[in-house]
Amino acid sequence: MFVRRLVLHSTCLTLEGNEFSMDKMCALQKTLLAFCLFASAMASPIETDVALQAVAQGAQLFSVNFIKTVGAEQKEQENNLISSPLSAHIALSMASEGAAGTTEAQFREVLNLPSKSQSLIGFQNLIGILNNVENVTLKLANKLFIGEGFPVKSQYKQDLQTYYYSDIASVDFSQNVNAANIINTWCKEKTNNRIESIVEPGDLSPSLALVLANAVYFKGNWANQFDPKATTDRPFHVNANTVKQVPTMYRKGNYKYVELPEHKAKCIELPYANSEISMVIVLPDEVDGLGALINNLEQVSTECNVRLARSYEREVKLYLPKFKTESTLNLGDTLSKKLGLPEPFSNSANFNGISDVPVKIDKVIQKAFIEVNEEGSEAAAVTVLFLAESAFIQMDTVVSIDRPFYYAIVKSVNTHVQTKPHDIITLFSGYVIEPIIN
Ligand SMILES: *[C@@H]1O[C@H](CO)[C@@H](O)[C@H](O)[C@H]1NC(C)=O
Protein backbone atom coordinates (compact mmCIF):
# COMPACT_ATOMS: atom_id res chain seq x y z
CA MET A 1 0.00 0.00 0.00
CA PHE A 2 1.25 3.31 -0.78
CA VAL A 3 1.62 5.74 1.98
CA ARG A 4 2.00 9.20 0.75
CA ARG A 5 3.09 11.31 3.41
CA LEU A 6 3.52 14.18 5.08
CA VAL A 7 4.89 17.29 5.82
CA LEU A 8 5.62 19.40 8.57
CA HIS A 9 7.13 22.36 9.58
CA SER A 10 7.48 24.99 12.04
CA THR A 11 8.09 28.66 12.42
CA CYS A 12 9.62 30.33 15.39
CA LEU A 13 9.54 34.01 15.85
CA THR A 14 11.67 35.60 18.50
CA LEU A 15 11.22 38.97 20.11
CA GLU A 16 14.01 40.77 21.81
CA GLY A 17 13.76 43.18 24.69
CA ASN A 18 16.35 45.14 26.56
CA GLU A 19 15.14 45.31 30.12
CA PHE A 20 13.67 42.95 32.58
CA SER A 21 11.40 43.51 35.48
CA MET A 22 9.29 41.35 37.69
CA ASP A 23 6.20 39.76 36.30
CA LYS A 24 3.18 40.48 38.39
CA MET A 25 0.05 39.97 36.42
CA CYS A 26 -0.99 36.52 37.55
CA ALA A 27 -3.78 37.85 39.74
CA LEU A 28 -5.48 39.43 36.76
CA GLN A 29 -5.69 36.37 34.64
CA LYS A 30 -8.95 34.89 35.76
CA THR A 31 -10.87 38.09 35.28
CA LEU A 32 -9.54 38.57 31.80
CA LEU A 33 -10.14 34.99 30.84
CA ALA A 34 -13.79 35.34 31.73
CA PHE A 35 -14.01 38.47 29.65
CA CYS A 36 -12.45 36.81 26.64
CA LEU A 37 -14.72 33.82 26.76
CA PHE A 38 -17.65 36.15 26.98
CA ALA A 39 -16.46 38.16 24.00
CA SER A 40 -16.02 35.01 22.05
CA ALA A 41 -19.48 33.71 22.91
CA MET A 42 -20.97 36.96 21.67
CA ALA A 43 -20.10 36.26 18.06
CA SER A 44 -23.06 34.97 16.08
CA PRO A 45 -22.50 32.15 13.57
CA ILE A 46 -22.67 34.60 10.68
CA GLU A 47 -20.16 36.98 12.27
CA THR A 48 -17.94 34.02 12.93
CA ASP A 49 -18.09 32.95 9.30
CA VAL A 50 -17.35 36.45 8.06
CA ALA A 51 -14.33 36.62 10.37
CA LEU A 52 -13.15 33.17 9.31
CA GLN A 53 -13.46 34.05 5.67
CA ALA A 54 -11.60 37.34 6.13
CA VAL A 55 -8.72 35.62 7.91
CA ALA A 56 -8.60 32.70 5.45
CA GLN A 57 -8.55 35.04 2.46
CA GLY A 58 -5.91 37.21 4.13
CA ALA A 59 -3.74 34.18 4.81
CA GLN A 60 -4.10 33.06 1.21
CA LEU A 61 -3.18 36.47 -0.21
CA PHE A 62 -0.13 36.53 2.03
CA SER A 63 0.78 32.96 1.02
CA VAL A 64 1.07 33.69 -2.65
CA ASN A 65 3.24 36.74 -2.01
CA PHE A 66 5.31 34.81 0.49
CA ILE A 67 6.05 31.82 -1.69
CA LYS A 68 6.76 34.02 -4.67
CA THR A 69 9.32 36.05 -2.72
CA VAL A 70 10.89 33.16 -0.83
CA GLY A 71 10.78 31.01 -3.96
CA ALA A 72 12.64 33.58 -6.04
CA GLU A 73 15.29 34.01 -3.32
CA GLN A 74 15.84 30.29 -2.89
CA LYS A 75 15.75 29.52 -6.59
CA GLU A 76 19.07 31.33 -6.87
CA GLN A 77 20.51 28.50 -4.79
CA GLU A 78 19.06 25.82 -7.05
CA ASN A 79 17.73 23.76 -4.15
CA ASN A 80 14.37 22.14 -3.64
CA LEU A 81 12.04 24.14 -1.43
CA ILE A 82 9.31 23.35 1.06
CA SER A 83 7.71 26.01 3.20
CA SER A 84 4.50 26.71 5.03
CA PRO A 85 3.20 30.17 4.29
CA LEU A 86 0.31 29.46 6.67
CA SER A 87 2.69 28.80 9.54
CA ALA A 88 4.54 32.05 8.90
CA HIS A 89 1.24 33.88 8.65
CA ILE A 90 0.00 32.55 11.99
CA ALA A 91 3.27 33.21 13.86
CA LEU A 92 3.36 36.78 12.51
CA SER A 93 -0.33 37.29 13.27
CA MET A 94 0.32 36.27 16.88
CA ALA A 95 2.95 39.01 17.07
CA SER A 96 0.62 41.49 15.36
CA GLU A 97 -2.02 41.02 18.07
CA GLY A 98 0.37 42.75 20.46
CA ALA A 99 1.43 45.51 18.08
CA ALA A 100 0.15 49.07 18.12
CA GLY A 101 0.38 52.25 16.05
CA THR A 102 2.18 52.11 12.72
CA THR A 103 3.72 48.73 13.58
CA GLU A 104 0.23 47.26 13.83
CA ALA A 105 -0.81 49.00 10.60
CA GLN A 106 2.12 47.42 8.76
CA PHE A 107 1.19 43.97 10.04
CA ARG A 108 -2.47 44.38 9.08
CA GLU A 109 -1.56 45.45 5.61
CA VAL A 110 1.07 42.80 4.88
CA LEU A 111 -0.83 39.95 6.55
CA ASN A 112 -4.14 41.21 5.08
CA LEU A 113 -5.78 41.03 8.47
CA PRO A 114 -9.23 42.46 9.25
CA SER A 115 -9.89 44.45 12.45
CA LYS A 116 -8.39 43.07 15.64
CA SER A 117 -11.65 41.64 17.01
CA GLN A 118 -12.43 39.99 13.67
CA SER A 119 -8.99 38.57 13.26
CA LEU A 120 -9.04 37.00 16.75
CA ILE A 121 -12.36 35.28 16.09
CA GLY A 122 -11.29 34.35 12.57
CA PHE A 123 -8.11 32.65 13.78
CA GLN A 124 -9.94 30.89 16.57
CA ASN A 125 -12.22 29.34 13.99
CA LEU A 126 -9.56 28.65 11.41
CA ILE A 127 -7.28 26.88 13.88
CA GLY A 128 -10.26 24.96 15.25
CA ILE A 129 -11.19 23.79 11.75
CA LEU A 130 -7.63 22.85 10.79
CA ASN A 131 -7.22 20.79 13.95
CA ASN A 132 -10.37 18.85 13.30
CA VAL A 133 -9.97 17.22 9.92
CA GLU A 134 -11.02 13.62 9.35
CA ASN A 135 -9.18 10.88 7.40
CA VAL A 136 -5.80 12.64 7.45
CA THR A 137 -3.62 13.96 10.25
CA LEU A 138 -3.38 17.72 10.35
CA LYS A 139 -2.09 19.36 13.51
CA LEU A 140 -1.40 22.97 14.13
CA ALA A 141 0.13 24.15 17.41
CA ASN A 142 1.19 27.52 18.78
CA LYS A 143 3.35 28.34 21.73
CA LEU A 144 4.63 31.42 23.43
CA PHE A 145 7.93 31.02 25.31
CA ILE A 146 8.50 33.98 27.64
CA GLY A 147 11.87 34.90 29.12
CA GLU A 148 11.84 34.41 32.87
CA GLY A 149 10.90 37.62 34.57
CA PHE A 150 9.97 39.43 31.37
CA PRO A 151 6.69 41.29 31.93
CA VAL A 152 4.12 40.29 29.32
CA LYS A 153 0.68 41.86 29.51
CA SER A 154 -1.96 39.46 30.68
CA GLN A 155 -4.46 40.54 28.02
CA TYR A 156 -1.95 39.47 25.38
CA LYS A 157 -1.40 36.10 27.00
CA GLN A 158 -5.14 35.60 27.26
CA ASP A 159 -5.69 36.47 23.62
CA LEU A 160 -3.07 33.97 22.49
CA GLN A 161 -4.49 31.26 24.71
CA THR A 162 -8.11 31.85 23.84
CA TYR A 163 -7.96 32.63 20.15
CA TYR A 164 -4.73 30.98 18.99
CA TYR A 165 -5.00 27.98 21.33
CA SER A 166 -1.46 28.85 22.32
CA ASP A 167 0.33 27.31 25.28
CA ILE A 168 2.53 29.60 27.28
CA ALA A 169 5.73 28.71 29.12
CA SER A 170 8.39 30.65 30.93
CA VAL A 171 11.99 29.91 29.91
CA ASP A 172 15.31 31.16 31.24
CA PHE A 173 17.04 32.35 28.05
CA SER A 174 20.30 33.00 29.91
CA GLN A 175 20.64 29.21 30.19
CA ASN A 176 20.67 29.03 26.42
CA VAL A 177 21.48 25.34 25.95
CA ASN A 178 18.66 24.35 28.21
CA ALA A 179 16.27 26.92 26.69
CA ALA A 180 17.03 25.71 23.14
CA ASN A 181 16.39 22.22 24.34
CA ILE A 182 12.96 23.15 25.69
CA ILE A 183 11.94 24.85 22.44
CA ASN A 184 13.33 22.09 20.24
CA THR A 185 11.61 19.39 22.28
CA TRP A 186 8.32 21.18 21.67
CA CYS A 187 9.05 21.38 17.93
CA LYS A 188 9.91 17.74 17.77
CA GLU A 189 6.81 16.69 19.64
CA LYS A 190 4.46 18.82 17.52
CA THR A 191 5.94 17.60 14.23
CA ASN A 192 5.98 13.91 15.07
CA ASN A 193 9.80 13.94 15.29
CA ARG A 194 10.09 15.17 11.71
CA ILE A 195 11.73 18.43 12.74
CA GLU A 196 14.27 17.73 15.43
CA SER A 197 15.32 21.27 16.12
CA ILE A 198 14.43 24.82 15.17
CA VAL A 199 16.77 26.93 17.31
CA GLU A 200 20.45 26.71 18.24
CA PRO A 201 21.66 27.77 21.69
CA GLY A 202 23.48 30.62 19.88
CA ASP A 203 20.11 32.00 18.70
CA LEU A 204 19.14 32.61 22.33
CA SER A 205 20.57 35.22 24.65
CA PRO A 206 19.57 36.91 27.92
CA SER A 207 18.27 39.93 25.96
CA LEU A 208 15.62 37.75 24.36
CA ALA A 209 12.12 38.59 25.58
CA LEU A 210 10.00 35.93 23.97
CA VAL A 211 9.74 33.30 21.27
CA LEU A 212 6.52 32.78 19.34
CA ALA A 213 6.35 29.38 17.75
CA ASN A 214 3.96 27.73 15.35
CA ALA A 215 4.12 24.16 14.13
CA VAL A 216 2.11 22.50 11.38
CA TYR A 217 2.14 18.79 10.76
CA PHE A 218 0.34 16.97 8.00
CA LYS A 219 0.21 13.36 7.01
CA GLY A 220 -2.34 11.90 4.68
CA ASN A 221 -2.84 9.15 2.17
CA TRP A 222 -3.83 9.92 -1.38
CA ALA A 223 -7.51 9.34 -2.09
CA ASN A 224 -6.26 7.10 -4.90
CA GLN A 225 -3.06 5.39 -4.02
CA PHE A 226 -0.26 4.56 -6.40
CA ASP A 227 0.61 0.94 -6.98
CA PRO A 228 4.22 0.47 -5.81
CA LYS A 229 4.67 -2.16 -8.52
CA ALA A 230 4.18 0.54 -11.10
CA THR A 231 7.04 2.66 -9.77
CA THR A 232 10.06 2.68 -12.06
CA ASP A 233 13.10 4.79 -12.71
CA ARG A 234 12.31 7.37 -15.33
CA PRO A 235 14.16 10.38 -16.74
CA PHE A 236 13.76 13.73 -14.97
CA HIS A 237 15.08 16.85 -16.70
CA VAL A 238 16.82 18.74 -13.91
CA ASN A 239 17.67 21.44 -16.48
CA ALA A 240 18.14 21.75 -20.21
CA ASN A 241 21.43 19.86 -20.04
CA THR A 242 20.96 17.35 -17.24
CA VAL A 243 18.74 14.29 -17.16
CA LYS A 244 18.63 11.96 -14.16
CA GLN A 245 16.86 8.66 -13.62
CA VAL A 246 14.58 8.95 -10.59
CA PRO A 247 12.01 6.64 -8.97
CA THR A 248 8.73 7.69 -10.50
CA MET A 249 5.26 6.58 -9.45
CA TYR A 250 2.63 5.88 -12.07
CA ARG A 251 -1.14 5.79 -11.96
CA LYS A 252 -3.79 5.85 -14.61
CA GLY A 253 -6.91 7.35 -13.13
CA ASN A 254 -9.29 10.26 -12.95
CA TYR A 255 -7.91 13.64 -11.97
CA LYS A 256 -8.82 17.26 -12.37
CA TYR A 257 -6.35 18.56 -14.88
CA VAL A 258 -6.19 21.86 -16.75
CA GLU A 259 -3.84 23.41 -19.26
CA LEU A 260 -2.92 27.08 -19.05
CA PRO A 261 -1.32 27.79 -22.43
CA GLU A 262 -1.25 31.52 -21.65
CA HIS A 263 1.11 30.74 -18.77
CA LYS A 264 2.88 27.85 -20.52
CA ALA A 265 1.90 25.51 -17.69
CA LYS A 266 -0.43 22.67 -16.70
CA CYS A 267 -2.06 21.99 -13.34
CA ILE A 268 -3.17 18.74 -11.83
CA GLU A 269 -4.95 18.14 -8.53
CA LEU A 270 -4.24 15.06 -6.41
CA PRO A 271 -6.81 14.72 -3.63
CA TYR A 272 -5.99 13.21 -0.26
CA ALA A 273 -8.24 10.87 1.72
CA ASN A 274 -10.01 13.97 2.95
CA SER A 275 -11.55 15.45 -0.16
CA GLU A 276 -11.08 19.01 1.12
CA ILE A 277 -7.29 18.68 1.03
CA SER A 278 -5.26 18.16 -2.10
CA MET A 279 -1.89 18.66 -3.66
CA VAL A 280 -1.93 20.93 -6.68
CA ILE A 281 1.05 20.53 -8.98
CA VAL A 282 1.88 23.20 -11.53
CA LEU A 283 4.13 21.88 -14.27
CA PRO A 284 5.78 24.35 -16.66
CA ASP A 285 5.70 23.37 -20.33
CA GLU A 286 9.40 24.14 -20.65
CA VAL A 287 12.18 22.33 -18.80
CA ASP A 288 13.50 25.69 -17.58
CA GLY A 289 10.08 27.27 -17.05
CA LEU A 290 9.98 27.19 -13.23
CA GLY A 291 11.60 30.62 -12.73
CA ALA A 292 9.05 32.37 -14.96
CA LEU A 293 6.26 30.46 -13.24
CA ILE A 294 7.41 31.58 -9.77
CA ASN A 295 7.71 35.19 -11.00
CA ASN A 296 4.13 35.03 -12.12
CA LEU A 297 2.81 32.96 -9.27
CA GLU A 298 -0.15 35.17 -8.27
CA GLN A 299 -1.74 34.88 -11.68
CA VAL A 300 -0.75 31.28 -12.33
CA SER A 301 -1.90 29.88 -8.99
CA THR A 302 -5.15 31.86 -8.99
CA GLU A 303 -5.94 30.80 -12.54
CA CYS A 304 -5.00 27.25 -11.74
CA ASN A 305 -7.22 27.03 -8.62
CA VAL A 306 -10.19 28.72 -10.29
CA ARG A 307 -9.99 26.52 -13.37
CA LEU A 308 -9.50 23.33 -11.36
CA ALA A 309 -12.53 24.14 -9.19
CA ARG A 310 -14.66 24.47 -12.34
CA SER A 311 -13.34 21.44 -14.16
CA TYR A 312 -14.39 17.81 -14.13
CA GLU A 313 -12.14 14.84 -13.61
CA ARG A 314 -10.77 13.16 -16.65
CA GLU A 315 -8.64 10.12 -17.21
CA VAL A 316 -4.97 10.88 -16.94
CA LYS A 317 -1.84 8.77 -17.10
CA LEU A 318 0.16 10.39 -14.34
CA TYR A 319 3.88 10.03 -13.72
CA LEU A 320 5.04 11.61 -10.46
CA PRO A 321 8.52 11.28 -8.92
CA LYS A 322 8.83 10.46 -5.24
CA PHE A 323 10.56 13.20 -3.30
CA LYS A 324 11.66 14.33 0.10
CA THR A 325 12.69 17.88 0.97
CA GLU A 326 13.71 19.81 4.04
CA SER A 327 14.25 23.57 4.07
CA THR A 328 15.43 26.00 6.72
CA LEU A 329 14.47 29.58 6.04
CA ASN A 330 15.70 32.63 7.90
CA LEU A 331 12.88 34.96 7.08
CA GLY A 332 13.93 38.15 8.88
CA ASP A 333 15.37 39.97 5.88
CA THR A 334 12.68 38.65 3.55
CA LEU A 335 9.92 39.97 5.79
CA SER A 336 11.53 43.28 6.69
CA LYS A 337 13.08 44.20 3.35
CA LYS A 338 10.91 42.55 0.73
CA LEU A 339 7.48 41.82 2.14
CA GLY A 340 6.84 45.21 3.72
CA LEU A 341 7.39 44.67 7.45
CA PRO A 342 10.41 46.85 8.29
CA GLU A 343 9.04 48.44 11.45
CA PRO A 344 8.47 45.34 13.62
CA PHE A 345 12.19 44.54 13.16
CA SER A 346 13.39 48.07 13.93
CA ASN A 347 14.04 49.99 17.13
CA SER A 348 10.85 51.95 16.53
CA ALA A 349 8.78 48.76 16.74
CA ASN A 350 5.68 49.24 18.87
CA PHE A 351 4.59 46.08 20.68
CA ASN A 352 2.79 47.94 23.38
CA GLY A 353 0.10 45.26 23.58
CA ILE A 354 2.73 42.68 24.55
CA SER A 355 4.71 44.63 27.12
CA ASP A 356 5.55 48.11 28.33
CA VAL A 357 9.20 47.17 27.87
CA PRO A 358 10.19 47.95 24.23
CA VAL A 359 10.66 44.83 22.11
CA LYS A 360 11.28 44.18 18.43
CA ILE A 361 11.35 41.07 16.29
CA ASP A 362 14.80 39.60 16.22
CA LYS A 363 14.58 36.47 14.09
CA VAL A 364 12.01 34.50 12.18
CA ILE A 365 13.10 30.97 11.43
CA GLN A 366 11.08 28.40 9.55
CA LYS A 367 11.95 24.78 9.00
CA ALA A 368 9.77 22.63 6.84
CA PHE A 369 9.80 19.06 5.69
CA ILE A 370 7.86 17.09 3.12
CA GLU A 371 7.97 13.52 1.95
CA VAL A 372 5.89 12.24 -0.91
CA ASN A 373 6.40 8.53 -1.29
CA GLU A 374 4.90 5.10 -1.29
CA GLU A 375 5.67 1.94 0.51
CA GLY A 376 4.18 -1.36 1.51
CA SER A 377 2.74 -4.41 -0.13
CA GLU A 378 1.10 -5.07 -3.41
CA ALA A 379 -2.21 -4.16 -1.93
CA ALA A 380 -5.11 -4.14 -4.22
CA ALA A 381 -4.95 -0.66 -5.54
CA VAL A 382 -5.89 -1.95 -8.97
CA THR A 383 -8.42 0.40 -10.40
CA VAL A 384 -10.95 -1.37 -12.49
CA LEU A 385 -12.96 1.73 -13.02
CA PHE A 386 -11.02 2.95 -15.99
CA LEU A 387 -10.85 -0.21 -18.01
CA ALA A 388 -14.26 0.32 -19.52
CA GLU A 389 -13.97 2.50 -22.57
CA SER A 390 -16.84 4.74 -23.37
CA ALA A 391 -18.11 5.34 -26.85
CA PHE A 392 -15.85 8.35 -27.11
CA ILE A 393 -12.49 7.84 -28.67
CA GLN A 394 -10.30 9.86 -26.37
CA MET A 395 -6.73 10.81 -26.80
CA ASP A 396 -4.62 9.66 -23.90
CA THR A 397 -3.81 12.46 -21.53
CA VAL A 398 -0.32 11.83 -20.22
CA VAL A 399 0.97 14.07 -17.46
CA SER A 400 4.60 13.37 -16.86
CA ILE A 401 6.05 15.39 -14.00
CA ASP A 402 9.57 15.09 -15.40
CA ARG A 403 11.00 18.60 -15.01
CA PRO A 404 11.23 21.14 -12.15
CA PHE A 405 7.73 21.86 -10.86
CA TYR A 406 5.81 23.83 -8.23
CA TYR A 407 3.38 22.24 -5.77
CA ALA A 408 1.07 23.31 -2.97
CA ILE A 409 -0.95 21.40 -0.40
CA VAL A 410 -4.21 23.28 -0.08
CA LYS A 411 -7.36 22.94 1.97
CA SER A 412 -10.72 24.37 1.07
CA VAL A 413 -12.36 26.42 3.79
CA ASN A 414 -16.09 26.54 3.33
CA THR A 415 -18.26 29.02 5.13
CA HIS A 416 -21.94 29.77 4.96
CA VAL A 417 -21.34 33.23 3.62
CA GLN A 418 -19.07 32.22 0.81
CA THR A 419 -19.34 34.11 -2.40
CA LYS A 420 -16.96 31.85 -4.30
CA PRO A 421 -17.29 28.08 -4.58
CA HIS A 422 -14.27 27.58 -2.37
CA ASP A 423 -11.89 29.62 -0.40
CA ILE A 424 -8.65 27.78 -0.15
CA ILE A 425 -5.77 28.05 2.20
CA THR A 426 -2.23 26.97 1.37
CA LEU A 427 -0.86 24.73 4.11
CA PHE A 428 2.46 24.02 2.42
CA SER A 429 4.08 24.92 -0.83
CA GLY A 430 7.38 24.53 -2.54
CA TYR A 431 9.07 23.25 -5.63
CA VAL A 432 11.21 20.37 -6.75
CA ILE A 433 14.22 20.99 -8.91
CA GLU A 434 15.67 17.53 -8.52
CA PRO A 435 13.67 14.76 -6.83
CA ILE A 436 15.66 13.34 -3.93
CA ILE A 437 14.28 10.57 -1.79
CA ASN A 438 16.78 10.28 1.03
C1 LIG B 1 -13.45 10.16 4.90
O1 LIG B 1 -13.42 8.80 4.47
C2 LIG B 1 -14.72 8.20 4.29
C3 LIG B 1 -14.51 6.74 3.96
O2 LIG B 1 -13.66 6.57 2.87
C4 LIG B 1 -15.47 8.95 3.19
O3 LIG B 1 -16.75 8.41 2.98
C5 LIG B 1 -15.59 10.43 3.56
O4 LIG B 1 -16.18 11.15 2.51
C6 LIG B 1 -14.19 11.00 3.86
N1 LIG B 1 -14.33 12.37 4.33
C7 LIG B 1 -13.93 13.41 3.61
C8 LIG B 1 -14.17 14.77 4.20
O5 LIG B 1 -13.42 13.32 2.52
Side-chain angles (χ1 to χ4, degrees):
M1 257 306 157
F2 152 87
V3 181
R4 170 224 109 265
R5 301 186 344 200
L6 66 106
V7 178
L8 41 107
H9 121 296
S10 136
T11 297
C12 288
L13 194 100
T14 61
L15 285 161
E16 188 168 310
N18 302 314
E19 288 168 40
F20 284 79
S21 67
M22 289 309 291
D23 178 319
K24 54 178 187 312
M25 75 288 295
C26 296
L28 290 173
Q29 280 185 15
K30 284 191 180 100
T31 321
L32 289 162
L33 175 62
F35 171 77
C36 292
L37 289 172
F38 178 64
S40 162
M42 286 288 283
S44 75
I46 295 293
E47 283 166 334
T48 301
D49 267 3
V50 170
L52 168 63
Q53 193 180 38
V55 164
Q57 285 174 352
Q60 188 57 18
L61 277 170
F62 172 80
S63 289
V64 174
N65 227 354
F66 176 87
I67 189 70
K68 182 183 160 179
T69 308
V70 172
E73 279 175 356
Q74 300 294 310
K75 180 77 175 58
E76 290 158 19
Q77 300 163 25
E78 295 290 321
N79 286 324
N80 295 336
L81 172 71
I82 172 67
S83 71
S84 174
L86 176 67
S87 180
H89 189 263
I90 292 176
L92 290 165
S93 296
M94 283 166 49
S96 82
E97 303 301 355
T102 47
T103 303
E104 181 185 3
Q106 249 173 37
F107 273 123
R108 290 210 185 276
E109 180 169 346
V110 170
L111 301 174
N112 306 289
L113 293 175
S115 70
K116 178 160 182 171
S117 59
Q118 264 210 330
S119 95
L120 290 175
I121 289 174
F123 273 109
Q124 186 181 40
N125 280 278
L126 181 64
I127 295 167
I129 287 171
L130 296 178
N131 274 328
N132 198 4
V133 174
E134 62 181 16
N135 300 350
V136 298
T137 307
L138 179 59
K139 294 279 165 231
L140 196 145
N142 294 320
K143 186 142 184 172
L144 172 62
F145 298 95
I146 304 176
E148 234 163 59
F150 185 81
V152 173
K153 293 187 176 173
S154 45
Q155 177 71 65
Y156 182 69
K157 292 203 244 180
Q158 281 312 335
D159 283 349
L160 291 199
Q161 281 178 318
T162 306
Y163 299 105
Y164 287 81
Y165 301 99
S166 178
D167 287 332
I168 296 177
S170 158
V171 177
D172 182 357
F173 291 124
S174 67
Q175 305 288 312
N176 63 354
V177 173
N178 193 37
N181 204 7
I182 291 171
I183 296 169
N184 290 334
T185 301
W186 180 85
C187 258
K188 208 170 142 178
E189 191 185 305
K190 296 301 173 188
T191 60
N192 241 9
N193 300 323
R194 283 295 170 166
I195 293 179
E196 301 262 318
S197 71
I198 180 88
V199 292
E200 311 272 336
D203 293 328
L204 310 174
S205 67
S207 70
L208 199 60
L210 40 99
V211 172
L212 289 159
N214 167 273
V216 184
Y217 173 79
F218 172 71
K219 178 172 180 171
N221 286 347
W222 300 121
N224 301 293
Q225 305 183 356
F226 290 79
D227 179 353
K229 281 185 300 185
T231 298
T232 51
D233 281 359
R234 290 178 58 91
F236 188 96
H237 301 266
V238 175
N239 55 47
N241 308 314
T242 316
V243 182
K244 299 214 167 151
Q245 295 290 321
V246 302
T248 304
M249 307 185 287
Y250 169 74
R251 181 173 179 268
K252 178 175 164 181
N254 284 3
Y255 293 98
K256 286 187 173 185
Y257 165 74
V258 297
E259 295 182 355
L260 309 176
E262 68 278 28
H263 294 298
K264 294 195 183 131
K266 306 168 177 37
C267 312
I268 187 162
E269 181 178 300
L270 284 70
Y272 290 102
N274 181 307
S275 57
E276 292 177 348
I277 303 184
S278 56
M279 176 180 278
V280 173
I281 294 176
V282 188
L283 180 71
D285 292 342
E286 316 281 341
V287 166
D288 57 1
L290 181 64
L293 191 157
I294 298 287
N295 280 339
N296 220 355
L297 196 62
E298 292 106 315
Q299 291 90 330
V300 182
S301 74
T302 305
E303 188 67 12
C304 180
N305 290 322
V306 168
R307 299 261 307 271
L308 283 171
R310 286 203 297 244
S311 78
Y312 294 97
E313 291 185 345
R314 62 158 120 170
E315 189 180 271
V316 170
K317 290 179 169 171
L318 172 65
Y319 294 91
L320 173 66
K322 305 205 282 184
F323 62 93
K324 189 168 169 177
T325 300
E326 182 177 298
S327 302
T328 301
L329 303 173
N330 278 298
L331 296 169
D333 278 357
T334 311
L335 292 163
S336 64
K337 297 188 181 143
K338 296 195 178 149
L339 284 169
L341 282 176
E343 196 165 293
F345 292 83
S346 75
N347 287 332
S348 45
N350 181 347
F351 285 103
N352 197 28
I354 295 182
S355 178
D356 288 329
V357 177
V359 291
K360 63 176 178 179
I361 298 181
D362 178 38
K363 290 191 183 72
V364 179
I365 306 167
Q366 176 170 107
K367 243 191 200 187
F369 172 88
I370 185 169
E371 182 173 0
V372 173
N373 74 358
E374 54 182 343
E375 59 177 59
S377 62
E378 17 250 77
V382 185
T383 320
V384 205
L385 223 123
F386 317 111
L387 296 178
E389 285 270 306
S390 69
F392 298 101
I393 311 280
Q394 270 190 314
M395 296 284 280
D396 269 356
T397 302
V398 178
V399 180
S400 192
I401 316 288
D402 63 354
R403 66 210 92 132
F405 61 94
Y406 168 82
Y407 61 89
I409 295 179
V410 300
K411 179 178 187 319
S412 60
V413 180
N414 294 307
T415 63
H416 301 110
V417 292
Q418 68 195 12
T419 48
K420 295 186 283 173
H422 290 293
D423 277 316
I424 61 159
I425 195 149
T426 304
L427 303 172
F428 297 92
S429 63
Y431 48 70
V432 172
I433 292 173
E434 178 181 345
I436 296 167
I437 56 172
N438 47 36

